[in-house]
Amino acid sequence: MSRLDVRSIGMSLLAPAIAILLSIVVTTIVIAAVGSSPGDFWSTMFEVPKPRLRVDIVNQTAMIYIAAVAAAIGFRMGLFNIGLEGQYTLASFAAASFAGAAYLSGWANVFAAIIVAMAVGAIWAGIAGVLRTTRGVSEVISTIMLNSIAITLVGYFLNNYGVKEGNSVHTKNIEPGTSVGGFAPFEDRDGEIWTLAIIAVLVGVGFWVLLNKTRFGFDLRASGQSESAALASGINPKRMILISMMLSGGVAGLIWMPAFFGGARNYGTSFQVGLGFLGIAVALLGRNRPVGMLFGALLFAFLSVKSNDLTFGTDVSPSIVQITQGVAVLAVVVTYEVVRRWRTRLEQRAVSRELAPTTEATA
Amino acid sequence: MRRLTKLSAVAAVAALTLAGCGGSDSEGGGGDKPAASDDVCKTADGDGPKIGLAYDVGGRGDQSFNDSAYAGLEKAVDEFDATCIEGEATDGEAESAREDRLRNMAENDATAIVGVGFAYSESVNAVAPDFPEVNFAVIDGFDPDEEANDNVAYLGFAEEQGSFLVGVAAATKSQTGTIGFVGGVNNELIQKFEAGYAAGAKAAKPDIKVEVAYIQESDLKGFGDPAGGKAAAAGEFDKGADVVYHAAGGSGSGVFDAAVEAGEGNFAIGVDSDQYLTATAAQKPFILTSMLKRVDTATFDFAKSIDEGKPLVSYKVYDLKADGVGYSTANSVIEELTADIDGYKDKIISGEIEVPTKP
């Protein structure tokens, strides 16, 4: 048994290793094909990041990780919530509006705004959940549509009720006392690691506890693996779908909160789009496991942040890292499948070897 | 579950890659990127000021906003031996990425740094105080807080004045008495174009009818949706319009196609850069003129002010007087109208006509 354990750990590391190798190879080929120097690219990318980039990497990792956990909650249940993008856009806008209105002050305002964000994210995802449970609408379709609606809604509200400044509109600035900032590990001008990046840690630990230590987590995993088996063991699948959808949306609502209270001041040009989709990719990369996704988020954050250096040191476009990221996700899924099949075949062979003498005896 | 994973992997990869295609730059368009070797920054080695140019999403090759800034940079390199350094934005990048780009340029000894697009307003505001010896400029930008920066220039444009002139052109050219306007997104900025256009048309022909359509109410997608632009323009041609002006960035190519399909005698008017020069051969005869927003003038002007040791600071609006907006005469069809248009131009410059900024 222990021999098999060592082997299975080796195999589970094999797949990500192959995937990363593959994405490096593909990126290199693409860069060479467009006539740039892959050597320049990799030496720039693997250079030790400057202090301010190290800060940025930590901050970005936190946001991407929250997004990945939000996606993973759905995945573990067998739900494909592509609506993270719309959920966190709408939630961030709502939280920023609420915090900007300054009904409360200081930390109370921060906590209340975070709750608003979670509630809005959960409700928006809940719409897709209700459609799925009552009308049988696939959440893939409904969440894509809800993404569009959310972005249009936010634009409408901003145009009609936002603060206009120059050519842009944004929500009301939050009071300086409400911004909780962060701590600067290096010099001040190198930036701060956002205080609320701690949300990522809490969400990660919470996700692990929820999955492995609670009844709900068991129900969730059971429903994800086999709906009929879950039903047979007394789990109400509709309730599970709705709850996990809302939970996923609620966590999605948190995605931008670290940046918002870390210095963004308002929902406007500094709002970062695309984190929802990155989260889905990282959840796949990390196989929906809390630790796996942490490495995935770190890798993606590192690639995105470091890519800025490319424009100065090389003639490679920074957009190239999107290829690296895409290939990594695709390769991880493919290699896992290949490794899984190979492993099944090994196991089958082992079983047939065990059984072979008995069959001969009976024959 | 496994099928779901595979499905979602494909979708996620598609989302990642497609996100790269759908540049939602507010004024951008598509097009071939010029080869990196054409880059003037690779060869420039004069002893003039070092200029940093931080592009908006879309970067060089957008045939519009960013390319126009680059043209100004090229001129600066030519005229006073400037050297330069460029930085490209990626879609959906973090605020910190913009800041990092600007800091990189300042640390690489750039003395004049231009952020192309108002998205740089916040990041310039954060970076400028750390580099008091460097001068910054933001195209279309604004100061986001109360503390004035004494090393930042905010370079805006009087889009309504340029639009007024093409409004005159449209109304004078129109046979049917109806003209059209297609906006990308119904926001403050684009309403400026509409207001100037309508005012110009009314000034030339008081009884002219102006059909107005916006592709999107608020979604920035309206600037990158040629199909939507075509539908909106086709609707206006159907209602009897024979000249349609667009302020819809990349959606404009759809407007040009609609003019082509409407047939001879119908025209479209381009925006930002001289779109006659970048249009397809089929579209060219139908592009009456383009409203020019001279980002190149602003960029060059700023570089020049640094070279002369009198750096631009605070707000500056590039209007007709400063040659910051205008119209193009690339298509010879416009020639019979230029005398008329230039008459209005002089009146705007002298202040006799005041162009509204709201429809």
Side-chain angles (χ1 to χ4, degrees), chain B residues 307-325:
Chain B
D307 186 53
E308 287 169 348
K310 287 175 287 191
L312 281 177
V313 287
S314 187
Y315 287 88
K316 180 162 168 71
V317 175
Y318 285 84
D319 53 11
L320 275 177
K321 202 189 284 181
D323 202 18
V325 289

Side-chain angles (χ1 to χ4, degrees), chain A residues 182-219:
Chain A
F183 89 99
F186 307 105
E187 279 175 62
D188 271 353
R189 62 157 62 176
D190 289 330
E192 295 176 328
I193 292 178
W194 300 321
T195 312
L196 292 187
I198 194 83
I199 291 179
V201 179
L202 298 177
V203 162
V205 172
F207 179 60
W208 183 82
V209 170
L210 179 82
L211 270 189
N212 299 305
K213 301 287 169 202
T214 65
R215 161 86 199 275
F216 177 80
F218 175 79
D219 290 356

Side-chain angles (χ1 to χ4, degrees), chain A residues 2-356:
Chain A
S2 77
R3 195 178 59 92
L4 221 133
D5 274 352
V6 173
R7 203 205 224 151
S8 72
I9 289 171
M11 280 189 186
S12 60
L13 287 179
L14 185 66
I18 295 175
I20 287 172
L21 207 68
L22 205 63
S23 62
I24 288 178
V25 171
V26 171
T27 312
T28 306
I29 293 172
V30 170
I31 294 171
V34 297
S36 301
S37 154
D40 282 357
F41 174 78
W42 291 113
S43 64
T44 307
M45 288 304 281
F46 286 142
E47 227 171 42
V48 178
K50 280 168 292 205
R52 67 165 179 268
L53 292 187
R54 280 176 238 164
V55 171
D56 291 347
I57 289 170
V58 172
N59 287 335
Q60 291 292 316
T61 303
M63 291 199 292
I64 297 173
Y65 186 69
I66 299 172
V69 170
I73 293 171
F75 282 149
R76 292 305 284 268
M77 170 70 205
L79 284 172
F80 190 22
N81 178 9
I82 344 185
L84 298 172
E85 192 70 24
Q87 287 146 24
Y88 95 93
T89 303
L90 198 62
S92 304
F93 171 75
S97 304
F98 177 85
Y103 298 118
L104 301 162
S105 62
W107 277 97
N109 199 11
V110 177
F111 281 120
I114 289 175
I115 289 169
V116 167
M118 291 186 75
V120 171
I123 291 168
W124 201 248
I127 297 174
V130 170
L131 284 174
R132 165 82 190 262
T133 49
T134 60
R135 318 294 316 167
V137 178
S138 162
E139 77 283 357
V140 176
I141 307 296
S142 59
T143 51
I144 289 179
M145 290 180 163
L146 285 166
N147 277 347
S148 279
I149 298 173
I151 292 163
T152 308
L153 263 184
V154 168
Y156 174 82
F157 283 132
L158 271 181
N159 274 341
N160 289 287
Y161 308 105
V163 180
K164 301 203 160 83
E165 200 167 17
N167 284 326
S168 75
V169 277
H170 57 75
T171 61
K172 229 165 140 185
N173 285 340
I174 51 174
E175 283 164 11
T178 299
S179 193
V180 298
F183 89 99
F186 307 105
E187 279 175 62
D188 271 353
R189 62 157 62 176
D190 289 330
E192 295 176 328
I193 292 178
W194 300 321
T195 312
L196 292 187
I198 194 83
I199 291 179
V201 179
L202 298 177
V203 162
V205 172
F207 179 60
W208 183 82
V209 170
L210 179 82
L211 270 189
N212 299 305
K213 301 287 169 202
T214 65
R215 161 86 199 275
F216 177 80
F218 175 79
D219 290 356
L220 188 83
R221 282 179 293 142
S223 313
Q225 270 156 10
S226 163
E227 201 172 313
S228 49
L231 189 62
S233 55
I235 299 167
N236 178 351
K238 288 193 171 173
R239 199 175 137 257
M240 288 305 297
I241 287 173
L242 191 58
I243 292 179
S244 47
M245 205 63 197
M246 291 184 71
L247 201 59
S248 176
V251 172
L254 294 170
I255 294 174
W256 193 61
M257 290 300 104
F260 176 53
F261 288 111
R265 299 201 317 247
N266 60 45
Y267 178 104
T269 51
S270 48
F271 179 70
Q272 192 179 345
V273 299
L275 288 169
F277 291 121
L278 275 186
I280 295 173
V282 167
L284 289 167
L285 197 62
R287 306 294 292 170
N288 303 323
R289 305 292 192 281
V291 178
M293 291 190 294
L294 179 61
F295 285 112
L298 191 62
L299 177 70
F300 270 43
F302 183 88
L303 288 172
S304 304
V305 170
K306 204 70 187 24
S307 69
N308 230 4
D309 283 351
L310 289 174
T311 40
F312 301 105
T314 70
D315 59 359
V316 182
S317 161
S319 309
I320 200 90
V321 301
Q322 288 174 344
I323 294 180
T324 317
Q325 292 174 339
V327 174
V329 173
L330 208 53
V332 140
V333 175
V334 172
T335 46
Y336 262 105
E337 183 64 19
V338 171
V339 168
R340 189 192 63 82
R341 285 189 190 167
W342 179 51
R343 207 157 121 191
T344 320
R345 209 169 323 140
L346 281 185
E347 275 165 16
Q348 277 168 346
R349 212 171 295 159
V351 170
S352 60
R353 247 201 319 273
E354 297 276 320
L355 293 177

Side-chain angles (χ1 to χ4, degrees), chain B residues 201-226:
Chain B
K202 292 252 154 67
K205 257 192 206 167
D207 58 344
I208 195 93
K209 199 165 161 236
V210 184
E211 295 284 346
V212 175
Y214 283 92
I215 300 170
Q216 288 282 343
E217 259 322 285
S218 61
D219 194 338
L220 288 180
K221 235 174 34 204
F223 290 118
D225 179 11

Side-chain angles (χ1 to χ4, degrees), chain B residues 174-221:
Chain B
S174 171
Q175 306 282 330
T176 60
T178 304
I179 58 173
F181 173 81
V182 174
V185 177
N186 192 0
N187 65 21
E188 205 96 329
L189 176 62
I190 304 304
Q191 284 166 7
K192 253 163 100 178
F193 290 79
E194 183 203 328
Y197 178 68
K202 292 252 154 67
K205 257 192 206 167
D207 58 344
I208 195 93
K209 199 165 161 236
V210 184
E211 295 284 346
V212 175
Y214 283 92
I215 300 170
Q216 288 282 343
E217 259 322 285
S218 61
D219 194 338
L220 288 180
K221 235 174 34 204

